[in-house]
Amino acid sequence: MAAGCGLAATASAQVPTAPIHSDLSTARYDRTDTLRAVMHLFIQRSRATRSILQMGMSTVATAAVEKAALSASEMKRRDKSFYKARQQETNSDLLVGGLATTYGLFRLSRFGPQQYQRVTEAYEQGAPLPPYLTRKLKTKYFRFQPL
């Protein structure tokens, strides 16, 4: 029995195995695979960017309307503490919405349709991908077709 186990262990050790690629630097992908992965990355990021922009802009718009309604009302004379609390809430909503909109615009500059067009045209002409994209590309983007 011991000889059988030893024989099985040596036989499995001699079987050639394919190298396992742990990251993108050691894997071999052709240009079409990379373009498909870049497309998948841009689709994922642009969806998230649109929702960030929608959230930020709607928060800013809602806070601006509420701030205008508060200033037009006579709430300040009737209930000063409630008026101050509502003003502080709308100010914080304006700040959060403005930050979200700014972040969304930054992401749009990196993952928007114009940037996708520029990146793919440059890559097809032989230029390397920008470093911010090569850091974001993951192996899973090379496996799946974009939706």
Side-chain angles (χ1 to χ4, degrees), residues 7-139:
L7 183 61
T10 58
S12 65
Q14 293 175 355
V15 174
T17 58
I20 298 174
H21 301 295
S22 60
D23 60 356
L24 296 175
S25 63
T26 59
R28 302 271 184 213
Y29 298 108
D30 64 355
R31 294 182 94 60
T32 58
D33 292 335
T34 304
L35 284 172
R36 189 175 60 239
V38 167
M39 180 192 309
H40 188 75
L41 175 67
F42 268 82
I43 288 172
Q44 295 293 321
R45 296 298 167 111
S46 66
R47 285 180 188 164
T49 300
R50 280 194 304 268
S51 52
I52 290 170
L53 279 171
Q54 287 174 348
M55 188 270 304
M57 291 169 60
S58 66
T59 303
V60 166
T62 304
V65 167
E66 188 174 351
K67 195 162 184 73
L70 278 174
S71 65
S73 71
E74 295 184 11
M75 187 63 66
K76 187 174 184 178
R77 285 188 240 153
R78 285 189 269 154
D79 192 1
K80 285 189 179 191
S81 63
F82 178 75
Y83 178 80
K84 284 184 180 182
R86 294 302 297 166
Q87 283 286 2
Q88 287 177 350
E89 286 178 21
T90 55
N91 289 341
S92 65
D93 287 347
L94 282 172
L95 177 68
V96 168
L99 289 173
T101 303
T102 304
Y103 180 64
L105 290 173
F106 169 73
R107 280 182 59 123
L108 186 65
S109 72
R110 286 195 149 197
F111 296 104
Q114 293 85 9
Q115 184 65 14
Y116 173 71
Q117 196 73 10
R118 276 183 250 148
V119 165
T120 55
E121 286 174 0
Y123 188 71
E124 286 173 348
Q125 293 174 359
L129 290 174
Y132 77 92
L133 283 179
T134 55
R135 282 192 308 266
K136 301 290 182 191
L137 283 178
K138 297 179 181 163
T139 310

